[in-house]
Amino acid sequence: MTVPTFLRRGAARAAEALLAPLIRFRSVEPLPEPEADDTAPVVYVLPGPALSDRLAVRLLCRRHELPRADRRIILPEGHHEALQWLHRDSGQKRYSPSLSNLIRAVAHAPEQDVQLIPVTIFWGRMPEREAAGAWRLLTADDWPLGGRLRRLMTMIVNARIVEARPGEPVSLQGLIARYAINGRDPVPRIQRLLRRDFHRTRRQAIGPDLSHRRTLVHRLVQRPNVTTAIDAAAQERQQPRRRAERRALRYGFEIASNMSWPVLRILYQLLGRLWQQLYDGVRMHDFEEVEALAGSHELVYVPCHRSHIDYLLLSWLLYRHGLMAPHIAAGRNLDMPLIGPLLRRAGAFFMRRTFRGNRLYSAVFNEYLHQLLLAGHPVEYFIEGGRSRTGRMLPPKPGMLAMTLGSWQRRHGRPLTFIPVYIGYEKVLESSAYIRELRTGNKRRESPLRLLRVLRHLRQPFGQVHVSFGEPLTLGLWLDDQAPDWRQRAREQPEAWRRETITDLGFELASRINAAASMTPVALVAMVVLGTSHRTIETTLLYRQLATLVALQRHVPGGERVRLPEGEPQAWVAHCVSLGMIEQLDQSLGALSTVSSEQATLLTWYRNNILHLFAAHALVAFAFRNNSRLDAHELHELIAPAWPTLRQELFLGHRELSLDWLTRLLDAFTAEGLLERDGTRWKRPAAHTEARERLHLLGRTIQPTLERGFLLLSTLMRYPPGQLTRDALAEQSRQLAERLTLLQGLNAPEYFDQRLFSGLLDSLETQGWLWSDHNGYLHFDERLIEALRHSRLLFDPELRHRLTQMTARSTTADQATKEE
């Protein structure tokens, strides 16, 4: 029996009057601006005929003063509703005759146009879960449109968290002209276009279906790769296959996440309040490109790892701005009581620090990651492995990148795109712990009590947080760009190709993360103050040096997406004082800015956040420390040997130190008064001038990095080739660096971090200046000797003499120990 039209309209008005006061739009996409042509009426298109969605669109139009959705549009062939829907029947996906008639009416009236605005309504943004319970089936905002009871329950439960996603207005006449080719009917093509748009929007917001955790794990152990590993494990341990299968199931439950919509919702609310309590604001940059890729690409977020806050903050931001929260690879050390189950329900899946010696675990984890990517779930992991205790980007670990590449090779589906993310803090929660770990070399094991102790700091000011999205890297396009014949090489030399590709991919992603760095006031002030001899500087000079650093970045940026601070140097310094980072002393001859020895150690972490942005600028400034005049060719010859290792250590991308780029840097220095142009040469300012002091301050920022390289190479050169191993050279260089800090009265454990020397050796091996024999001993040739000879000219005689004497005494002591 057909319900009369007036009764249906009366019921709709009654439902609107009853539910309208309850509905709140949690977030609304930027509302589209209709075209200026007032003669083209607006028609809203929904995916389906659900009364709840129609009600939401009418409220949206009324509250935001958009063209009404409950009016009728007059066309030459009759009247049409301003609110249409694509599918008449949600189960069979049959197209709506009303929308088809509208398209044909506009096609028969070329002088009349209509603007289509597709609108997707989300009641709670909960993805469908397989084998869900009755309550979930009643309340889930899933892919198929549910029955009336389910929709009613959805509206009641989620009335205050409704999201509307209107698309851009589209000219219907334009679509008709585009698809009406060779006399073919444009109606089905336009409707397929709308269907793809709705599908992409839903996939972007709620992701694919969530399999029940138990169902997913049992599927994993049935995959061919895992069953092969189970057979091998049973044979290797000489145990029944069923026992090996149970072990694989245990690994699966240990790894798999258990994403829960209620937990995500609660965490979203709690974390929003936590950020308000902790930070002055969370700033997000360059998000639009990520939003455009979501829904059509498999996204893998690769943020830098500076704090435990990273993964919570990124998931919260993505969810807040309408994207599905990613599944996050977390260390097994976080799978602890209370914390572990909560993180697992927020999307974390756990991994062991090493897979070595356990092929079955490796197979289960590989398959789990592959299934996540294959289903289209966004994934997040930290390519550095652990948190950076030094504040700089750590060398990427190959494990997760190798598994992601392997998954993509197994089945090419949608494009797989890496999203580099830079997260910059003005004050990090774990700062005191990082200092302690650098001094002792020991990392404390995580525990719920230790993590909860962070709550003691909630009353302290922590400034702002900056989250910047770097240039996305689409894997297939990047491989084609690197080497068009990579497919052939991957078939002929798979192991060598994978090893080289993973190394290059890790370096590229780390470089893109660094290229999106945000220059916070704390990092800038740390860079200037730590460049002084006694960690004290005149406040007026501090202001001018801060302005100089920002101006140099405007002239020659250190990265493609660098974010400069807003405001003036005076405000930046006052902000650092309010955070307790520096102190100001009032003196009769002018105010001074100073930091204690303990605080100076902490500031090295913040300086290292942006050190890479000034690597080239500081290297040029340091070159003029011991050279009064240089032209571009002389400068290039002087600093070129140090640049490849510096670029590798600080992840500066593939920028070459060309003469044109050096000339740009020199011109920028001249514009800021740091150098003076003298014909074809540049000269440093006269002694005892402020400009000379500012040049010296800038050069000192790169001095520790150059000193470490000089100590390592000087130590190596005092032994014949084939006499030192990597570990012995790194340890001896570390001891020299530690001794140098003690002699200079510095409290800087980051200066002699052994990982920096290991990274430097990796860079030298990558450049081909060092190589190891089959016994692990290092060899070199004349090229490295020549590079050291050039690098000596960078240092002034006093500093060069001190470093040389230290390495000589160290070598003598080492040889005496061997003789004994």
Side-chain angles (χ1 to χ4, degrees):
M1 177 179 176
T2 304
V3 180
T5 303
F6 74 91
L7 287 180
R8 285 190 281 110
R9 289 181 178 175
R13 292 192 186 97
E16 181 175 352
L18 179 64
L19 294 175
L22 302 178
I23 294 178
R24 295 289 184 271
F25 293 101
R26 189 184 68 84
S27 66
V28 178
E29 290 286 304
L31 296 174
E33 291 290 339
E35 300 294 334
D37 185 6
D38 294 333
T39 62
V42 172
V43 171
Y44 303 96
V45 183
L46 289 167
L51 175 62
S52 57
D53 291 351
R54 286 181 279 159
L55 170 62
V57 172
R58 284 197 290 267
L59 288 175
L60 180 72
C61 294
R62 187 184 308 160
R63 293 178 183 178
H64 294 274
E65 299 181 355
L66 295 174
R68 289 172 52 196
D70 56 355
R71 71 193 191 286
R72 295 177 67 83
I73 297 173
I74 302 175
L75 295 176
E77 295 193 4
H79 294 188
H80 297 268
E81 298 290 339
L83 182 60
Q84 299 281 341
W85 47 87
L86 185 61
H87 295 122
R88 184 179 65 182
D89 185 291
S90 62
Q92 300 180 14
K93 301 294 183 185
R94 292 180 294 177
Y95 292 121
S96 166
S98 176
L99 180 60
S100 301
N101 292 336
L102 172 66
I103 298 174
R104 291 192 176 96
V106 174
H108 293 153
E111 71 285 352
Q112 178 66 54
D113 195 10
V114 168
Q115 296 184 65
L116 296 183
I117 300 182
V119 183
T120 309
I121 303 295
F122 294 103
W123 296 82
R125 276 178 60 197
M126 181 178 176
E128 182 181 14
R129 181 181 290 275
E130 294 181 11
W135 178 254
R136 291 185 185 275
L137 290 175
L138 288 174
T139 59
D141 188 1
D142 56 2
W143 292 95
L145 296 172
R148 290 180 175 84
L149 176 60
R150 186 150 126 195
R151 298 297 299 187
L152 178 61
M153 295 299 297
T154 298
M155 292 175 67
I156 294 173
V157 173
N158 299 313
R160 294 189 174 272
I161 48 173
V162 181
E163 293 189 14
R165 301 288 182 89
E168 292 295 327
V170 181
S171 168
L172 184 52
Q173 282 290 1
L175 291 177
I176 292 171
R178 175 182 173 185
Y179 290 114
I181 302 173
N182 299 328
R184 300 179 66 179
D185 186 4
V187 174
R189 296 189 177 189
I190 293 174
Q191 292 183 339
R192 281 198 297 270
L193 175 69
L194 291 170
R195 183 176 62 189
R196 286 196 299 269
D197 183 74
F198 285 130
H199 183 272
R200 180 180 177 277
T201 301
R202 294 186 70 83
R203 195 177 190 94
Q204 178 189 68
I206 65 177
D209 297 351
L210 288 175
S211 296
H212 191 276
R213 182 165 176 256
R214 181 174 296 276
T215 305
L216 174 61
V217 172
H218 280 275
R219 283 179 185 168
L220 286 179
V221 299
Q222 296 172 7
R223 303 297 300 172
N225 288 350
V226 179
T227 56
T228 302
I230 290 173
D231 294 336
Q235 184 176 3
E236 181 182 344
R237 296 195 176 190
Q238 296 182 350
Q239 59 184 208
R241 188 185 185 281
R242 185 170 180 80
R243 188 173 177 182
E245 185 176 331
R246 285 199 300 268
R247 188 153 59 98
L249 283 170
R250 190 167 64 249
Y251 289 155
F253 284 112
E254 175 189 313
I255 294 166
S257 68
N258 189 24
M259 186 174 279
S260 165
W261 163 244
V263 171
L264 282 176
R265 231 166 101 177
I266 293 171
L267 280 178
Y268 173 79
Q269 299 293 336
L270 292 178
L271 291 176
R273 295 177 182 177
L274 178 62
W275 307 149
Q276 290 179 358
Q277 181 72 26
L278 278 179
Y279 304 116
D280 294 336
V282 178
R283 307 289 298 276
M284 191 170 67
H285 311 290
D286 298 316
F287 177 69
E288 297 78 12
E289 200 167 357
V290 179
E291 194 174 26
L293 292 170
S296 59
H297 288 229
E298 295 175 11
L299 298 186
V300 178
Y301 298 94
V302 282
C304 61
H305 200 9
R306 305 288 163 82
S307 169
H308 280 309
I309 297 295
D310 296 339
Y311 39 84
L312 299 174
L313 182 64
L314 182 56
S315 294
W316 180 82
L317 277 174
L318 292 173
Y319 185 82
R320 181 188 181 193
H321 287 83
L323 300 188
M324 186 60 187
H327 285 68
I328 308 166
R332 192 185 174 194
N333 60 311
L334 292 178
D335 191 11
M336 61 187 79
L338 300 178
I339 303 297
L342 182 64
L343 293 178
R344 198 183 292 275
R345 284 171 173 78
F349 59 97
F350 295 97
M351 60 186 299
R352 299 180 179 183
R353 289 296 180 187
T354 178
F355 298 179
R356 189 173 301 170
N358 195 337
R359 286 181 292 178
L360 181 56
Y361 180 88
S362 177
V364 174
F365 190 92
N366 264 282
E367 190 61 36
Y368 178 75
L369 179 64
H370 176 64
Q371 293 301 320
L372 285 181
L373 294 172
L374 189 63
H377 292 286
V379 173
E380 173 190 339
Y381 54 75
F382 302 99
I383 58 176
E384 298 168 276
R387 289 170 294 158
S388 173
R389 269 69 176 174
T390 62
R392 65 174 69 206
M393 191 75 193
L394 299 179
K397 304 290 186 182
M400 292 296 293
L401 291 175
M403 286 185 277
T404 305
L405 177 63
S407 172
W408 181 77
Q409 284 183 282
R410 284 173 63 182
R411 180 174 176 178
H412 291 250
R414 296 185 304 156
L416 188 148
T417 300
F418 291 93
I419 306 295
V421 187
Y422 176 88
I423 305 177
Y425 299 91
E426 290 188 334
K427 190 174 182 180
V428 71
L429 278 170
E430 300 98 327
S431 55
S432 58
Y434 289 166
I435 295 174
R436 181 176 59 251
E437 290 172 13
L438 280 172
R439 285 175 178 164
T440 62
N442 299 322
K443 180 180 178 293
R444 288 188 177 183
R445 187 175 180 178
E446 307 292 357
S447 69
L449 182 59
R450 185 166 290 116
L451 291 177
L452 290 175
R453 284 176 183 169
V454 174
L455 298 176
R456 297 179 303 175
H457 305 293
L458 291 183
R459 295 185 179 276
Q460 297 181 18
F462 284 87
Q464 290 186 341
V465 184
H466 293 262
V467 180
S468 303
F469 293 90
E471 180 185 357
L473 185 150
T474 300
L475 185 56
L477 297 178
W478 179 79
L479 288 172
D480 290 338
D481 185 60
Q482 292 292 108
D485 62 342
W486 67 268
R487 292 174 181 82
Q488 179 181 352
R489 182 145 184 255
R491 287 192 300 269
E492 296 174 353
Q493 300 174 310
E495 291 301 322
W497 174 81
R498 282 172 63 85
R499 186 168 52 252
E500 293 176 12
T501 300
I502 294 303
T503 300
D504 293 343
L505 179 61
F507 179 80
E508 182 66 26
L509 290 174
S511 300
R512 294 193 185 195
I513 292 172
N514 272 350
S518 293
M519 292 171 50
T520 65
V522 173
L524 282 169
V525 169
M527 177 167 285
V528 176
V529 175
L530 294 179
T532 61
S533 300
H534 302 288
R535 311 298 184 254
T536 302
I537 186 174
E538 293 180 348
T539 303
T540 54
L541 177 59
L542 174 60
Y543 293 156
R544 283 191 286 271
Q545 185 69 356
L546 290 173
T548 298
L549 294 180
V550 174
L552 288 175
Q553 286 295 317
R554 288 196 180 99
H555 288 299
V556 186
E560 290 76 10
R561 300 193 178 194
V562 175
R563 288 285 168 177
L564 303 181
E566 300 174 355
E568 299 297 328
Q570 291 82 350
W572 304 339
V573 174
H575 183 58
C576 291
V577 173
S578 68
L579 292 177
M581 294 296 185
I582 65 173
E583 300 176 11
Q584 285 195 316
L585 305 176
D586 292 328
Q587 296 286 324
S588 58
L589 297 180
L592 301 176
S593 297
T594 185
V595 295
S596 63
S597 176
E598 183 76 15
Q599 202 68 13
T601 305
L602 175 59
L603 286 179
T604 59
W605 192 92
Y606 299 99
R607 178 201 61 192
N608 289 344
N609 286 182
I610 63 168
L611 179 62
H612 61 280
L613 299 179
F614 291 95
H617 308 75
L619 188 59
V620 170
F622 193 81
F624 280 91
R625 173 173 176 165
N626 192 40
N627 299 273
S628 59
R629 294 172 184 265
L630 292 169
D631 62 25
H633 290 275
E634 293 169 337
L635 178 62
H636 183 272
E637 184 179 357
L638 184 62
I639 65 177
W643 181 250
T645 53
L646 197 64
R647 183 182 63 189
Q648 193 79 17
E649 178 181 340
L650 298 179
F651 301 102
L652 303 177
H654 298 283
R655 182 187 293 276
E656 296 297 333
L657 199 66
S658 64
L659 286 174
D660 291 339
W661 192 47
L662 272 183
T663 303
R664 285 183 58 199
L665 281 169
L666 291 169
D667 289 340
F669 275 55
T670 305
E672 298 305 316
L674 299 178
L675 292 176
E676 298 173 6
R677 186 73 180 261
D678 184 14
T680 60
R681 313 186 83 192
W682 283 263
K683 65 178 182 179
R684 66 191 182 196
H688 308 299
T689 61
E690 184 189 273
R692 177 75 167 270
E693 190 170 1
R694 288 190 290 134
L695 183 68
H696 180 69
L697 284 173
L698 178 57
R700 286 199 60 170
T701 60
I702 205 67
Q703 181 174 330
T705 303
L706 297 176
E707 285 179 354
R708 277 193 297 268
F710 189 88
L711 286 172
L712 186 141
L713 292 179
S714 297
T715 302
L716 178 63
M717 294 303 162
R718 292 189 174 274
Y719 293 87
Q723 293 293 313
L724 276 180
T725 63
R726 271 183 59 109
D727 292 342
L729 178 58
E731 176 58 23
Q732 196 169 339
S733 301
R734 187 201 67 78
Q735 293 176 2
L736 282 171
E738 183 177 6
R739 183 177 181 85
L740 182 61
T741 60
L742 294 173
L743 290 174
Q744 293 180 341
L746 300 178
N747 184 12
E750 179 265 344
Y751 182 84
F752 50 87
D753 183 9
Q754 186 160 358
R755 287 173 295 185
L756 296 178
F757 291 100
S758 297
L760 180 57
L761 286 170
D762 290 338
S763 301
L764 292 171
E765 289 184 348
T766 301
Q767 298 299 321
W769 289 355
L770 276 182
W771 61 93
S772 301
D773 59 24
H774 63 280
N775 292 320
Y777 289 97
L778 294 172
H779 292 263
F780 55 90
D781 55 23
E782 288 295 325
R783 291 177 302 158
L784 192 59
I785 298 174
E786 184 66 20
L788 179 62
R789 186 178 298 116
H790 276 288
S791 66
R792 290 176 183 272
L793 300 177
L794 283 172
F795 299 93
D796 59 58
E798 181 182 352
L799 180 57
R800 187 166 64 234
H801 177 73
R802 181 193 305 164
L803 296 176
T804 303
Q805 289 299 313
M806 285 187 64
T807 55
R809 286 194 293 268
S810 173
T811 305
T812 303
D814 181 62
Q815 292 174 345
T817 302
K818 290 181 179 179
E819 292 176 0
E820 292 178 359

